[in-house]
């Protein structure tokens, strides 16, 4: 998913990580107090051993989890060498709220609803499969 703010102006002020192919960009269970923006490279989410969403340069990695959860719910593995901009939650919240004071709350609420629906669907599916 594309970043809802202009990252060009903030890339020098925040740390970047270089992540080798096959290494974790995000580890399941790590706090969502930081957002990870792919400056270059590609990555893929892994949902309990199943391939998930693909991420490419210009995407915030696992944005829905970042917005709706206190901890990331899946691993994201680099599928090529990646340069990742690491930004604190408060920075994104501040920039997003500058546009419209309710947009941050609305985005977080929508993300939480999407996660609840996804969890309900996967739970129901696993009951059917047993």
């Amino acid at each position: 998913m594309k970043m809802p703010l202009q990252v060009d102006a903030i890339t020098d002020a925040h740390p970047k990580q270089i992540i080798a192919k096959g290494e974790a960009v995000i580890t399941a269970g790590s706090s969502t107090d930081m957002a990870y923006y792919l400056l270059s490279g590609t990555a893929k989410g892994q949902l309990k051993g199943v391939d998930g969403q693909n991420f490419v340069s210009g995407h915030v990695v696992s944005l829905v989890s970042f917005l709706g959860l206190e901890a990331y719910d899946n691993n994201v593995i680099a599928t090529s060498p990646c340069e990742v901009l690491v930004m604190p939650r408060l920075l994104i919240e501040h920039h997003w709220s500058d546009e419209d004071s309710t947009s941050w709350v609305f985005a977080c609420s929508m993300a939480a609803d999407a996660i609840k629906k996804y969890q309900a669907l996967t739970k129901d599916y696993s009951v059917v499969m047993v």
Side-chain angles (χ1 to χ4, degrees):
M1 187 171 286
K2 293 288 185 182
M3 177 57 110
L5 59 95
Q6 190 70 19
V7 296
D8 296 341
I10 58 175
T11 57
D12 291 333
H14 295 282
K16 296 175 205 67
Q17 296 178 352
I18 304 299
I19 300 172
K21 180 180 178 180
E23 296 295 318
V25 175
I26 294 175
T27 303
S30 60
S31 174
T32 56
D33 61 347
M34 294 294 201
Y36 300 86
Y37 176 83
L38 277 180
L39 292 168
S40 65
T42 58
K44 186 173 208 103
Q46 294 182 330
L47 302 168
K48 297 184 172 117
V50 177
D51 284 345
Q53 184 177 2
N54 290 311
F55 301 100
V56 298
S57 298
H59 283 179
V60 177
V61 179
S62 295
L63 181 60
V64 173
S65 294
F66 170 75
L67 292 172
L69 298 172
E70 291 184 17
Y72 287 102
D73 58 349
N74 61 44
N75 293 322
V76 177
I77 306 300
T79 54
S80 73
C82 294
E83 183 178 15
V84 180
L85 176 64
V86 182
M87 296 176 288
R89 175 185 270 306
L90 290 175
L91 173 73
I92 294 172
E93 181 178 355
H94 172 75
H95 280 286
W96 214 328
S97 295
D98 280 351
E99 290 289 318
D100 173 8
S101 61
T102 61
S103 62
W104 174 257
V105 174
F106 182 68
C108 291
S109 177
M110 286 187 62
D113 284 348
I115 290 166
K116 286 178 191 174
K117 288 177 184 174
Y118 173 78
Q119 289 172 340
L121 286 173
T122 57
K123 182 178 181 183
D124 290 343
Y125 181 72
S126 65
V127 171
V128 172
M129 294 299 293
V130 172

